Amino acid sequence: MNTQIKTVLLTVLTLSVFVLALVELSGVSSTALFNKYHIGPNVPEATRDQKVAAMPKTTIQFYDTMFDFGSIKEGDVVKHAFKFKNTGNNPLLISKADVSCGCTVPTFSKEPIAPGAEGEIMVQYNSNHHPGNQQKNVLVHSNAQMEAISIGFKANVDPK
């Protein structure tokens, strides 16, 4: 190989290492965020809550905070995705989602949501043994400026 090609390859390699280091140190990658705040998918909930509380604050915008399933039959299992956007300048991390009833199960990503990116909380409701008008809430905890935000749904459950 001639000297000019070696110089170009060495320059590309050096720049690549520099960019990787910059991404890791800036917190842009989820791995860097996990390393910086020691948060990951397998961290116990109590520890995760403490770590998320210590993170820099950001803002979150839900596109809807209340959903109406309308009339459903008792025993139906229904789902709705509550979509949101990280409208702040720091990564958004949800620490937990508290429910008002065991019939309601929220699921969400344990990964950080980058500034400007969108995410969702999927809420599943099992209407078995819950006839009549129902309204359930989920309290979403995160490192947003408003640390707890309530989302929920209602349904008219027709008895069997």
Side-chain angles (χ1 to χ4, degrees):
M1 250 199 261
N2 70 27
T3 310
Q4 194 173 22
I5 292 176
K6 286 181 183 178
T7 304
V8 168
L9 289 176
L10 186 58
T11 303
V12 168
L13 179 64
T14 304
L15 287 174
S16 297
V17 170
F18 176 74
V19 167
L20 286 173
L22 187 62
V23 166
E24 284 298 310
L25 292 174
S26 70
V28 171
S29 76
S30 63
T31 306
L33 187 66
F34 289 159
N35 290 340
K36 184 174 181 179
Y37 295 106
H38 309 290
I39 296 173
N42 299 323
V43 173
E45 189 174 294
T47 304
R48 185 177 175 86
D49 289 347
Q50 294 168 347
K51 301 284 185 178
V52 170
M55 289 176 63
K57 297 296 182 192
T58 190
T59 54
I60 185 173
Q61 175 189 0
F62 277 89
Y63 294 109
D64 65 334
T65 56
M66 180 59 69
F67 182 77
D68 188 351
F69 285 112
S71 290
I72 61 175
K73 294 179 185 172
E74 184 178 354
D76 284 354
V77 176
V78 292
K79 295 179 183 179
H80 178 70
F82 288 91
K83 297 186 184 294
F84 61 85
K85 183 175 185 175
N86 179 355
T87 55
N89 296 321
N90 293 308
L92 171 73
L93 198 60
I94 296 173
S95 60
K96 65 181 177 177
D98 295 326
V99 295
S100 60
C101 174
C103 58
T104 306
V105 179
T107 54
F108 55 90
S109 174
K110 305 288 188 203
E111 303 289 324
I113 310 296
E118 296 183 343
E120 69 179 29
I121 297 176
M122 181 64 70
V123 177
Q124 178 177 299
Y125 171 61
N126 184 345
S127 66
N128 200 27
H129 305 297
H130 296 273
N133 288 325
Q134 301 293 319
Q135 183 167 337
K136 306 296 178 187
N137 294 307
V138 177
L139 197 57
V140 180
H141 300 269
S142 70
N143 66 314
Q145 289 176 356
M146 199 167 148
E147 294 174 1
I149 298 173
S150 180
I151 59 175
F153 62 87
K154 55 186 176 179
N156 183 24
V157 181
D158 297 326
K160 291 182 183 180

